[in-house]
Amino acid sequence: MIPFRDTYRDIPLYSPAKKPCRVDLSDNTNLFGAPPSADRVLREEGFLKLSRYPAGYAPDLKRAVARYAGVAVENVTTGCGSDDVIDCALRAFLEPGDVVAFPDPTFVMVPMFARLSALKPVPVPLRAGSDLDVEGLLATGAKLIYVCTPNNPTGTVASRASLERLVDQARGVVLIDQAYVEFARGGDFLDLARTRPNVLVTRTMSKAFGLAGLRVGWGVGAPSLVAEVEKARGPYKHTTLGEAVAVSALTEDVAWMEACAAEAVENRERLRGGLKALGLEPLPSEGNFLLVPVPEAWRVGEALRERNVNVRVFEGLTGVGDALRIGCGPWPLMASALKALKEVL
């Protein structure tokens, strides 16, 4: 008999319900497209780079991230998306059987990554108002506490007071996932990664920067933390093309990214008004999406897909119940989603 791992037997593949739809609002990516410099880099450098390995440990990308984040190169790690940086951090800092604590609900891959590394995932419900239950998270005794802010899927943010108290009292690493921070009013916690020895902040090029297809993420923390994540990471986590385009985006396309993010936020609030007119109550959001509590969300999601609109369906979220998460971008896409929802409801 083949000795498969017992801990893997009941772990499913990540496979949210999805089919090709004309309007796909399910992934929270930049629906305005890829950054302008990407076209030039792919045309000028793309073919020439295909036959060679990238440089080990992404030195060019680290330098670009360091300039963007205002840190030294030794404070930067990178990975195949920020979820890869998170996965590497769990392997770097924890032994099998250790506890990973996180607010609930949050990014669905975190408990899965924990289980894949034979760790113990411990969810701690968010408080009323969606702030962190600091005492509850600390009471788990976790050596690593994960906090996503703005939070996926709720869109809510952790207060600075709560997060600083958590960082000050945690017995180990606090990993702050800020994949959606470019859409938020404030709430940037890179300063904690610059000043605290136990904080790792992760970011991604997949959302506001429009590079989800190239899978590039990064993290900032104390050099001692980053060095351990780099061991878990391995040398080749980016393609040569992915690194080159990410460098050009961080160097040349920040203003473009900020304009796209601002329009996504404007349309998010316009969408909120349309949803309220349908009798729905979206949660407060600082991301490029809205979480909308909807009874029998799975049924509504299927009906929307039949109308060529795909959104992310969640069932039984702690403190929320069934809900739809709707990504925000150009208004014509939002209008299509509203029209389809009106027909379904």
Side-chain angles (χ1 to χ4, degrees):
M1 178 179 289
I2 299 173
F4 295 119
R5 288 181 61 171
D6 288 339
T7 52
Y8 273 43
R9 291 187 186 279
D10 61 345
I11 297 177
L13 288 177
Y14 175 76
S15 56
K18 195 167 185 175
K19 75 173 186 178
C21 290
R22 182 179 60 82
V23 176
D24 191 346
L25 309 177
S26 64
D27 291 328
N28 301 341
T29 53
N30 188 332
L31 297 172
F32 298 94
S37 67
D39 180 65
R40 188 198 74 251
V41 173
L42 292 174
R43 281 188 290 103
E44 294 178 358
E45 304 182 43
F47 187 76
L48 297 176
K49 291 181 177 289
L50 293 182
S51 65
R52 303 302 297 268
Y53 282 116
Y57 298 95
D60 292 343
L61 178 58
K62 284 181 181 174
R63 283 190 287 270
V65 168
R67 287 192 297 270
Y68 179 74
V71 297
V73 171
E74 56 265 30
N75 293 103
V76 178
T77 185
T78 66
C80 182
S82 58
D83 55 347
D84 178 52
V85 181
I86 294 165
D87 188 25
C88 289
L90 296 184
R91 295 199 304 275
F93 301 129
L94 302 176
E95 299 286 353
D98 283 347
V99 169
V100 180
F102 48 87
D104 182 32
T106 198
F107 180 35
V108 296
M109 289 303 297
V110 170
M112 182 176 287
F113 286 150
R115 294 177 65 195
L116 289 171
S117 290
L119 306 171
K120 183 180 178 182
V122 178
V124 177
L126 289 164
R127 290 192 179 279
S130 298
D131 202 3
L132 304 177
D133 180 354
V134 175
E135 290 72 23
L137 289 166
L138 293 171
T140 66
K143 293 181 182 177
L144 187 145
I145 298 173
Y146 168 91
V147 176
C148 185
T149 181
N151 187 37
N152 175 18
T154 62
T156 52
V157 294
S159 71
R160 176 165 285 271
S162 293
L163 198 47
E164 287 188 351
R165 191 162 82 254
L166 181 67
V167 168
D168 288 342
Q169 298 181 36
R171 61 175 294 196
V173 174
V174 178
L175 195 162
I176 306 173
D177 179 352
Q178 297 224 271
Y180 299 97
V181 72
E182 291 88 356
F183 305 100
R185 296 164 295 181
D188 183 339
F189 293 108
L190 269 179
D191 62 295
L192 296 181
R194 298 186 191 104
T195 59
R196 307 298 179 92
N198 63 330
V199 174
L200 183 71
V201 170
T202 59
R203 298 275 188 89
T204 184
M205 302 298 291
S206 295
K207 306 302 182 184
F209 274 99
L211 295 177
L214 290 181
R215 310 302 300 123
V216 178
W218 49 273
V220 167
S224 58
L225 293 185
V226 164
E228 297 306 301
V229 178
E230 291 280 281
K231 294 176 188 178
R233 171 198 189 279
Y236 301 128
K237 278 299 183 82
H238 306 291
T239 64
T240 51
L241 295 181
E243 183 173 356
V245 172
V247 168
S248 73
L250 287 166
T251 305
E252 303 174 35
D253 295 322
V254 173
W256 171 88
M257 176 275 290
E258 290 173 342
C260 289
E263 188 171 347
V265 168
E266 179 182 341
N267 290 340
R268 180 193 72 203
E269 295 311 304
R270 188 177 173 187
L271 175 65
R272 181 189 305 280
L275 293 168
K276 286 191 170 187
L278 297 178
L280 301 171
E281 288 295 331
L283 271 64
S285 176
E286 292 289 333
N288 62 333
F289 57 88
L290 289 173
L291 187 72
V292 191
V294 176
E296 296 187 315
W298 61 270
R299 179 189 62 78
V300 176
E302 284 294 325
L304 288 175
R305 282 187 283 274
E306 292 171 2
R307 289 162 175 78
N308 237 346
V309 175
N310 191 41
V311 299
R312 182 67 189 273
V313 174
F314 291 89
E315 296 184 77
L317 288 175
T318 301
V320 178
D322 286 6
L324 305 176
R325 192 191 66 194
I326 306 174
C328 298
W331 182 251
L333 301 179
M334 309 293 93
S336 296
L338 279 172
K339 179 176 181 294
L341 259 175
K342 186 175 182 179
E343 293 174 0
V344 171
L345 297 176

